[in-house]
Amino acid sequence: MKIKKTAKKNLGAMVMAGAIMFSATVAGAGTPKYVFFFLGDGMSNSQIQATEAYMTQANGGSAHEAADLLRPENRLNMSKMPVIGMQTTYDVHSLMPDSASSATAFACGLKTQSGTVGMDDSKTVSYKSIAQLAHEAGKKVGVISSVSLDHATPAAYYASVPSRGNYGDIDTQLVGSGYEFFGGGGLKVMDPDELDDYGYELLNDRESIMGLKDAPRDKVVCINPWLQNSQAMPYAIDRPETNVSLAEMTEVAIANLKGDQGFFIMVEGGKIDWACHANDAGATIGDMQAFDNAVGVALDFYKQHPFNTLIVVTGDHETGGMSIGHATTAYSAHYERLLGQTSSFTYFDANQWAEHKAAYAATTDCSTPDTLAGNADMLGLMESVFDLNWTDLNEYQKEKLEDAYDKSLCGNNDNSNAENGLLYGNYNPITVTITHILNEQASIGWTSYSHTGVPVPVFAQGVYKRLFAGFYDNTDIAKKMARAMSLGTVPAMK
Amino acid sequence: MKIKKTAKKNLGAMVMAGAIMFSATVAGAGTPKYVFFFLGDGMSNSQIQATEAYMTQANGGSAHEAADLLRPENRLNMSKMPVIGMQTTYDVHSLMPDSASSATAFACGLKTQSGTVGMDDSKTVSYKSIAQLAHEAGKKVGVISSVSLDHATPAAYYASVPSRGNYGDIDTQLVGSGYEFFGGGGLKVMDPDELDDYGYELLNDRESIMGLKDAPRDKVVCINPWLQNSQAMPYAIDRPETNVSLAEMTEVAIANLKGDQGFFIMVEGGKIDWACHANDAGATIGDMQAFDNAVGVALDFYKQHPFNTLIVVTGDHETGGMSIGHATTAYSAHYERLLGQTSSFTYFDANQWAEHKAAYAATTDCSTPDTLAGNADMLGLMESVFDLNWTDLNEYQKEKLEDAYDKSLCGNNDNSNAENGLLYGNYNPITVTITHILNEQASIGWTSYSHTGVPVPVFAQGVYKRLFAGFYDNTDIAKKMARAMSLGTVPAMK
């Protein structure tokens, strides 16, 4: 691509200062052969603590007894990594970045605007990712995500597009990347059957994909058979036994990419973010555990190759303004309340709710004040799917559920638009109200349906882990990764 | 104190494992002569990011432009420290600790229950703080707090009491500590004029206290002249020019304690927590800046004594479930909305609101639906104190303010008790509703009026800073501090 001189100048003093700071490459000796970058989309401190409190409860302990919370089996793998950093997540124009700009920060070391992937704020200059630089330097590359493989976060490692929505261009750059391994969700535009036109073998059932552990291939795309919506893998809480989990996909990728050349593997837990957007703690925690299990696979690999491996784990931004505390529960925590949830909001909306609405929308009398209280089927669903028992609720919670049920089943309620916007965002009113109340009972609060601007922790293990100590900007992560891998200066123009 | 053997046994495997891990003392060579521990009560990532976004705006930048947010003058001093850690904050029985148990964790390396200071969960065994151990080892000790000097956090460094409310016992142990310097707020029970009976000189005006920089004394208690309530210093936003700020008090302490013996100084920003309990971001940010300015004084001292100084900064728990994002603002941030707030909720309640209520409570017709909209005096107060203009609000915000005004001025409103509990906690309804709406406009949300369980970052600079890397428990901080200062194994029984 031809570079415009004006755009070059517009990089800004900040980026240049960063580039100078990290321009010195590290001598080849000691450079890690195997490098993992784990990205929990929407993950920050609250998502981590909520998951550990849930795990404590699920393992038979109490989420308010320190002796239980501190037991090693109740801590996430990432929590046990020896080096911690913290990063500011804002992008060039927003304190709350999107996943495109933050992925560009991690992949290319470049600040850009929300929505843009692998290009600068002018949307005219394209940059190489550390994955591409590692590939050019001879490493094999794997890209794994629980959402579609052409979603913003994975895309930043192989594509440069002005808008994350340019899925056709992203898919074209995916097959043009030459990377050896892709795995997880599907593709938004390209028919996967076309992959072999570009030299990629497509595998899309559990048996074939797991078989790769014993019989690696040169260039492969592994797409799970059950894609829940938007070509993404289903939530872990929805028990996709026919699928390959993020942890298993990481094992498969390692088996395929391991060898003299070394590898760079990026693994995204992409639906942590989606669950947090919807303020669904149960789905969030399930996908946090699935993501952290994949981190565990890399840590096991590190133990076999301690002098050749670097593992970095972080989030791109927090989502939902999640907190480990709520006005209604004050100083008490009740994570056992979450153990009974059996479906994500997505699965519930698409299945149980859809069936319920089809059965009752035409016949329910929406003019009565106790529409929900009078519907045994719906009260039963609340109990069977979310373990939420009507008789345990206070009057205010019942009122909120009645309002939401009216809106979901009958199309409207008595609230102002401003109140409904605050209460439901763009989600199914009854479902988001159920998860709000259930989460509050556990002591989890939410403030937003969007990303937030809270700084995010970084965890590191292995060779050069100490580079990741301290409080820095998200763009510095790519610079540190490039330095650890001796890939030269980033941002690096294509 | 006589130690009960049963209590000894009850310490638990967890504490003992930690004690073993950190039992090896570090050789005297290289042990830092000067040690600072800074404790932002109620401070975690959100409080830090909100303050930096506010500072960016106050310094003429934009809180959503990365180039402005990243400018060094818009970053807190603590954010520039080279080593980051993260700590779990739970106490022995609660995911959301109080300041007594968390202060005991930092001071004594001991898990205890909420409410207890310097004693274990049985409330029968007393433990030495690292301040006491440092004092016994010959270091001078200073204890500084913006709240009363016998409040839970400072008390943990010199007192052991079953309940944080035992102020009489705490005050007795304060004067019995022999520590060389106390400064900040006042005392809850003891008449400060009695201090000289115990060998302490009392200074309680700005000129005398600042004079200590040039003429140090042996044992001194510095109590600021303006104490706002509960013997605490006023909020920084309330402009206490007659007082000595936390930063100035830190300078005075250094001047008094510096010398061959070395020192340990604990500085608490105690009202960050109080402001977060009340969900008042403006007051929070003001006290965050005052606290961080004190950190800056220590960092300046470090630059003069880089091989002899250790500085550790952390929070004891998050308060309020503060987030950098809200459903009503989504991906936009407007921290300029906070620049116009001129008083804390406390100052407003005690002054402007008290006067307003006295003038209008008897004559206002509380039965009309637009009580507030019809009161020009109150609308004027909202604008002059909080920069909140009635005509800029949406219908839902106006409804919330009308409900709160009815409750504050007239004693009741139409809401259920459950709704009022959620909306106001135990705060003045009109004031907390004003700060909620103002904060939401800036993009700050809150979920609780209590402490929360989110992990908290730790920042370190100086000798042994690397001890503070990684993700560990709050009790490990005392163990690391003791190790850095060669104070032996903690927890150490009295």
Side-chain angles (χ1 to χ4, degrees):
Chain A
M1 172 171 231
K2 211 164 177 184
I3 317 284
K4 289 190 184 169
K5 281 192 178 170
T6 48
K8 265 183 169 175
K9 283 183 188 164
N10 284 339
L11 281 173
M14 176 192 69
V15 172
M16 297 314 290
I20 290 162
M21 195 173 162
F22 288 97
S23 66
T25 54
V26 178
T31 296
K33 191 171 168 183
Y34 305 116
V35 178
F36 294 88
F37 184 69
F38 285 89
L39 196 282
D41 204 309
M43 177 186 86
S44 190
N45 294 22
S46 288
Q47 283 75 12
I48 292 167
Q49 184 61 72
T51 305
E52 294 190 351
Y54 177 96
M55 287 162 63
T56 302
Q57 207 65 249
N59 289 334
S62 164
H64 43 81
E65 292 295 323
D68 291 337
L69 283 156
L70 285 168
R71 287 211 310 266
E73 66 269 30
N74 297 331
R75 305 301 304 275
L76 291 167
N77 290 304
M78 66 183 88
S79 297
K80 299 171 188 166
M81 294 170 73
V83 169
I84 292 256
M86 201 156 80
Q87 44 139 337
T88 48
T89 66
Y90 25 83
D91 69 24
V92 72
H93 299 309
S94 178
L95 185 56
M96 300 82 165
D98 85 330
S99 295
S101 59
S102 50
T104 302
F106 302 136
C108 307
L110 179 74
K111 281 280 185 215
T112 194
Q113 63 179 286
S114 292
T116 296
V117 175
M119 301 184 83
D120 71 0
D121 189 30
S122 74
K123 301 188 182 186
T124 57
V125 188
S126 297
Y127 286 79
K128 292 181 179 178
S129 74
I130 51 169
Q132 188 176 350
L133 291 166
H135 204 241
E136 289 173 1
K139 274 189 163 53
K140 292 187 176 183
V141 171
V143 172
I144 297 172
S145 176
S146 57
V147 296
S148 70
L149 298 172
D150 44 16
H151 211 259
T153 298
Y157 292 85
Y158 58 79
S160 296
V161 288
S163 167
R164 60 188 288 174
N166 299 350
Y167 290 112
D169 291 346
I170 294 173
D171 289 348
T172 302
Q173 294 182 57
L174 185 155
V175 293
S177 70
Y179 294 173
E180 287 75 11
F181 188 93
F182 291 91
L187 300 172
K188 290 275 211 174
V189 171
M190 184 178 279
D191 179 348
D193 290 331
E194 291 176 26
L195 284 165
D196 72 347
D197 296 347
Y198 302 95
Y200 279 94
E201 189 163 2
L202 169 67
L203 299 178
N204 55 5
D205 67 275
R206 180 177 163 84
E207 192 181 348
S208 308
I209 297 170
M210 292 303 287
L212 279 175
K213 287 174 75 173
D214 300 317
R217 313 288 169 90
D218 285 343
K219 285 166 64 181
V220 66
V221 177
C222 303
I223 297 179
N224 265 305
W226 180 18
L227 301 179
Q228 192 164 37
N229 60 336
S230 300
Q231 296 290 323
M233 287 168 58
Y235 286 105
I237 194 177
D238 294 329
R239 299 172 309 280
E241 289 84 358
T242 55
N243 275 6
V244 177
S245 69
L246 270 191
E248 290 171 326
M249 198 66 86
T250 304
E251 287 174 359
V252 170
I254 290 171
N256 262 253
L257 302 176
K258 195 183 158 191
D260 292 341
Q261 292 173 254
F263 61 64
F264 171 83
I265 298 176
M266 194 289 295
V267 182
E268 185 201 18
K271 289 182 72 169
I272 300 164
D273 173 69
W274 297 11
C276 289
H277 273 288
N279 298 176
D280 179 346
T284 299
I285 288 167
D287 271 44
M288 279 290 297
Q289 291 181 286
F291 175 67
D292 191 68
N293 288 341
V295 173
V297 169
L299 286 168
D300 287 342
F301 182 85
Y302 158 79
K303 285 174 198 157
Q304 307 295 319
H305 307 275
F307 305 114
N308 288 314
T309 305
L310 170 65
I311 306 169
V312 178
V313 183
T314 190
D316 53 352
H317 49 71
E318 199 274 345
T319 301
M322 188 188 205
S323 71
I324 308 301
H326 192 263
T328 55
T329 45
Y331 291 93
S332 62
H334 306 278
Y335 282 72
E336 74 280 3
R337 291 293 302 113
L338 300 178
L339 295 178
Q341 182 178 343
T342 54
S343 298
S344 70
F345 74 101
T346 298
Y347 189 92
F348 178 76
D349 282 347
N351 297 279
Q352 294 99 329
W353 171 256
E355 289 164 25
H356 178 82
K357 186 169 180 180
Y360 290 89
T363 57
T364 301
D365 178 5
C366 293
S367 64
T368 68
D370 57 351
T371 322
L372 171 57
N375 190 308
D377 183 72
M378 187 61 204
L379 298 185
L381 282 180
M382 279 170 48
E383 196 166 339
S384 63
V385 180
F386 296 100
D387 190 24
L388 198 63
N389 194 310
W390 183 254
T391 56
D392 294 339
L393 303 176
N394 68 36
E395 291 309 306
Y396 185 59
Q397 292 167 329
K398 288 178 180 173
E399 182 190 323
K400 287 286 171 226
L401 284 164
E402 290 285 3
D403 287 349
Y405 190 65
D406 287 348
K407 182 78 177 156
S408 288
L409 192 73
C410 308
N412 56 54
N413 61 16
D414 293 339
N415 297 338
S416 64
N417 288 338
E419 182 167 4
N420 281 339
L422 185 68
L423 292 174
Y424 315 134
N426 293 316
Y427 290 92
N428 182 11
I430 185 64
T431 314
V432 74
T433 305
I434 288 171
T435 60
H436 279 164
I437 292 172
L438 176 63
N439 294 180
E440 289 166 15
Q441 289 181 341
S443 85
I444 293 171
W446 303 90
T447 71
S448 179
Y449 305 99
S450 304
H451 304 165
T452 74
V454 66
V456 169
V458 183
F459 306 90
Q461 174 60 294
V463 186
Y464 287 112
K465 62 181 180 285
R466 294 225 178 278
L467 280 179
F468 297 88
F471 192 3
Y472 40 83
D473 187 50
N474 58 3
T475 53
D476 291 327
I477 291 179
K479 294 167 189 170
K480 291 168 189 286
M481 299 287 286
R483 186 176 169 203
M485 291 191 276
S486 297
L487 297 177
T489 303
V490 295
M493 283 179 270
K494 276 186 180 167
Chain B
M1 173 171 228
K2 210 167 180 182
I3 316 284
K4 289 189 184 169
K5 281 191 179 170
T6 48
K8 262 184 172 175
K9 284 184 187 163
N10 284 339
L11 280 173
M14 177 190 68
V15 171
M16 295 315 289
I20 290 162
M21 194 173 165
F22 290 97
S23 63
T25 54
V26 178
T31 294
K33 191 170 170 183
Y34 305 117
V35 178
F36 294 89
F37 184 69
F38 285 90
L39 197 283
D41 204 310
M43 177 186 86
S44 189
N45 294 22
S46 287
Q47 284 75 11
I48 292 167
Q49 184 60 72
T51 305
E52 294 191 351
Y54 178 95
M55 287 163 63
T56 302
Q57 206 66 250
N59 288 334
S62 163
H64 42 80
E65 293 294 323
D68 291 338
L69 283 156
L70 286 167
R71 288 208 311 265
E73 65 268 31
N74 297 331
R75 304 300 304 274
L76 291 166
N77 289 305
M78 66 182 86
S79 298
K80 299 172 189 167
M81 293 169 73
V83 170
I84 292 256
M86 201 154 82
Q87 44 141 335
T88 48
T89 67
Y90 26 83
D91 69 24
V92 72
H93 299 310
S94 179
L95 185 57
M96 299 81 165
D98 85 327
S99 295
S101 59
S102 51
T104 302
F106 301 136
C108 307
L110 179 75
K111 281 280 184 215
T112 193
Q113 64 179 284
S114 293
T116 297
V117 174
M119 300 184 84
D120 71 359
D121 189 29
S122 74
K123 301 188 182 187
T124 57
V125 189
S126 298
Y127 286 80
K128 292 181 179 179
S129 74
I130 50 169
Q132 188 176 348
L133 291 167
H135 203 241
E136 288 174 2
K139 274 187 162 53
K140 294 188 176 182
V141 171
V143 173
I144 298 172
S145 177
S146 57
V147 297
S148 71
L149 298 172
D150 45 17
H151 210 261
T153 298
Y157 292 86
Y158 58 80
S160 296
V161 287
S163 167
R164 60 188 289 175
N166 300 351
Y167 290 112
D169 291 344
I170 294 173
D171 289 349
T172 302
Q173 294 181 59
L174 185 155
V175 294
S177 69
Y179 294 172
E180 287 75 11
F181 189 92
F182 290 92
L187 299 172
K188 289 275 210 175
V189 171
M190 183 176 281
D191 180 348
D193 290 331
E194 292 177 25
L195 283 165
D196 72 348
D197 296 347
Y198 302 94
Y200 280 94
E201 187 162 7
L202 169 67
L203 299 178
N204 56 5
D205 66 276
R206 179 178 163 82
E207 192 180 348
S208 309
I209 297 171
M210 292 303 287
L212 279 175
K213 288 174 73 172
D214 301 318
R217 313 288 170 87
D218 284 343
K219 284 167 65 181
V220 67
V221 177
C222 302
I223 297 180
N224 266 303
W226 179 21
L227 302 179
Q228 193 165 36
N229 60 337
S230 299
Q231 297 289 323
M233 287 168 57
Y235 287 105
I237 194 176
D238 293 330
R239 299 170 309 281
E241 290 85 357
T242 55
N243 275 7
V244 177
S245 69
L246 270 191
E248 289 170 329
M249 199 65 86
T250 305
E251 287 174 359
V252 169
I254 290 171
N256 262 254
L257 302 176
K258 196 183 156 189
D260 292 341
Q261 293 173 255
F263 60 65
F264 171 84
I265 298 177
M266 194 289 295
V267 182
E268 186 201 16
K271 289 182 72 170
I272 299 165
D273 174 68
W274 296 12
C276 289
H277 273 289
N279 298 176
D280 179 345
T284 300
I285 289 167
D287 271 44
M288 278 290 297
Q289 290 181 287
F291 175 67
D292 190 68
N293 288 341
V295 173
V297 168
L299 286 169
D300 286 344
F301 181 84
Y302 159 80
K303 285 176 197 155
Q304 309 292 319
H305 307 275
F307 306 114
N308 289 316
T309 305
L310 169 65
I311 306 170
V312 178
V313 183
T314 191
D316 53 353
H317 49 71
E318 198 275 346
T319 302
M322 188 188 206
S323 70
I324 309 301
H326 192 264
T328 54
T329 45
Y331 291 92
S332 62
H334 306 278
Y335 282 72
E336 73 281 3
R337 291 294 301 115
L338 300 177
L339 295 177
Q341 183 178 343
T342 54
S343 297
S344 69
F345 74 100
T346 299
Y347 188 92
F348 178 76
D349 281 347
N351 296 279
Q352 294 101 328
W353 171 256
E355 289 164 25
H356 177 83
K357 186 170 181 179
Y360 290 90
T363 58
T364 300
D365 177 5
C366 292
S367 64
T368 68
D370 57 350
T371 323
L372 172 57
N375 190 307
D377 183 73
M378 187 60 205
L379 298 185
L381 282 181
M382 279 169 47
E383 195 165 340
S384 64
V385 180
F386 296 100
D387 190 23
L388 198 62
N389 194 308
W390 183 255
T391 56
D392 294 339
L393 304 176
N394 67 38
E395 290 310 306
Y396 185 60
Q397 291 167 329
K398 287 178 181 173
E399 183 190 323
K400 288 284 169 227
L401 284 164
E402 289 284 4
D403 287 349
Y405 190 65
D406 287 347
K407 182 80 178 154
S408 288
L409 192 73
C410 307
N412 57 53
N413 61 16
D414 294 337
N415 297 338
S416 65
N417 287 340
E419 181 167 5
N420 281 341
L422 184 68
L423 291 174
Y424 315 135
N426 293 316
Y427 291 92
N428 183 10
I430 185 64
T431 313
V432 75
T433 305
I434 289 171
T435 60
H436 279 164
I437 292 172
L438 176 62
N439 294 182
E440 288 165 16
Q441 289 182 340
S443 85
I444 293 171
W446 303 90
T447 72
S448 178
Y449 304 101
S450 303
H451 305 166
T452 74
V454 67
V456 170
V458 183
F459 306 91
Q461 174 61 294
V463 186
Y464 287 111
K465 61 180 180 284
R466 294 226 178 276
L467 281 179
F468 297 88
F471 191 4
Y472 39 83
D473 187 48
N474 58 2
T475 54
D476 291 326
I477 291 179
K479 295 168 189 169
K480 292 167 188 286
M481 299 286 289
R483 186 175 170 202
M485 290 192 278
S486 297
L487 298 177
T489 302
V490 294
M493 282 177 272
K494 276 186 182 169

